[in-house]
């Protein structure tokens, strides 16, 4: 199984509990920050698969918006332990009981499993339209492949596969 880079963004008083619970999972490479500015920087400068964001962080909604804009393919799990129920909003998932029955771990693993099967996210459409424009301008098969690889990188994907039918049989 491949490792999952998890960035935990929580208030300082919650940090030990989150780190202890999530770093125990051998597939997770966990980083933890308690400062929203540091979280913004880390998302841009480092590879992150999943962000676990405590909704009680100052500016949590704005952080989610920033993460979506900076890396549209990033998976975000919002945690709101004060709520009985909630709607994830712009997050991919929301949990109100992160450490009951390994809820947060199961959600991260499910999101990553789904991601491995996913082809495009709805919030990726503007970059996809831009890619389509570049593809129409690209010349030849190699030019189109280079445009496709570049677009996939811009979308935050790290794997591209090309298939070509050699014969109709």
């Amino acid at each position: 199984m491949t490792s999952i880079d998890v960035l935990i963004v929580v208030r300082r008083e919650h940090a030990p509990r989150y780190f202890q619970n999530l770093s125990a999972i051998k597939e997770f490479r966990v980083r933890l920050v308690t400062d929203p500015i540091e979280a913004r920087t880390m998302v841009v400068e480092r590879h992150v698969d999943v962000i676990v964001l405590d909704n009680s962080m100052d500016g949590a909604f704005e952080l989610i918006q920033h993460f979506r804009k900076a890396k549209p393919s990033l998976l975000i799990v919002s945690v709101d332990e004060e709520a009985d129920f909630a709607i994830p909003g712009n997050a991919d998932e929301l949990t109100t009981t992160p450490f009951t029955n390994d809820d947060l771990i199961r959600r991260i693993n499910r999101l990553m499993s789904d991601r491995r099967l996913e082809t495009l996210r709805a919030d990726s459409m503007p970059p996809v339209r831009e890619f389509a424009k570049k593809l129409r301008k690209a010349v030849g098969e190699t030019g189109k492949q280079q445009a496709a690889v570049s677009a996939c990188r811009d979308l935050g994907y790290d794997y591209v596969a090309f298939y070509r039918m050699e014969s109709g049989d």
Side-chain angles (χ1 to χ4, degrees):
M1 172 147 202
T2 58
S3 62
I4 300 170
D5 291 308
V6 179
L7 176 61
I8 305 167
V9 183
V10 294
R11 292 191 338 230
R12 187 172 307 280
E13 62 268 22
H14 297 266
R17 183 170 58 109
Y18 277 83
F19 189 80
Q20 178 183 359
N21 281 287
L22 294 178
S23 65
I25 307 305
K26 66 180 181 175
E27 293 86 17
F28 291 1
R29 286 191 305 225
V30 175
R31 292 187 198 102
L32 187 137
V33 296
T34 59
D35 177 45
I37 294 170
E38 187 178 352
R40 288 173 183 251
T41 302
M42 193 167 286
V43 164
V44 172
E45 293 179 356
R46 299 203 178 187
H47 176 77
V48 176
D49 293 309
V50 179
I51 290 183
V52 175
L53 176 65
D54 183 352
N55 258 3
S56 66
M57 288 288 293
D58 289 335
F61 180 76
E62 290 79 14
L63 272 175
I64 291 173
Q65 299 238 331
H66 171 78
F67 297 149
R68 282 281 175 242
K69 191 173 188 177
K71 296 231 176 131
S73 62
L74 188 63
L75 297 171
I76 302 171
V77 179
S78 181
V79 179
D80 192 345
E81 294 181 89
E82 302 297 316
D84 291 333
F85 70 93
I87 299 171
N90 286 331
D92 296 289
E93 279 285 337
L94 180 123
T95 180
T96 58
T97 57
F99 304 114
T100 302
N101 298 321
D102 294 328
D103 185 61
L104 182 56
I105 294 163
R106 285 186 297 109
R107 288 174 189 271
I108 291 170
N109 284 327
R110 185 182 52 74
L111 283 170
M112 287 303 296
S113 176
D114 290 350
R115 170 54 48 92
R116 289 180 186 108
L117 300 174
E118 183 179 71
T119 54
L120 278 180
R121 293 172 50 100
D123 60 356
S124 297
M125 292 313 292
V128 169
R129 286 188 196 102
E130 187 62 33
F131 160 62
K133 290 177 189 176
K134 290 178 183 176
L135 192 59
R136 283 192 292 272
K137 293 178 184 176
V139 178
E141 185 175 346
T142 302
K144 291 186 186 304
Q145 288 175 347
Q146 288 172 339
V149 169
S150 174
C152 289
R153 286 185 180 148
D154 291 346
L155 289 168
Y157 291 93
D158 52 357
Y159 177 78
V160 180
F162 291 99
Y163 299 92
R164 179 173 59 185
M165 297 281 292
E166 292 297 326
S167 76
D169 298 330

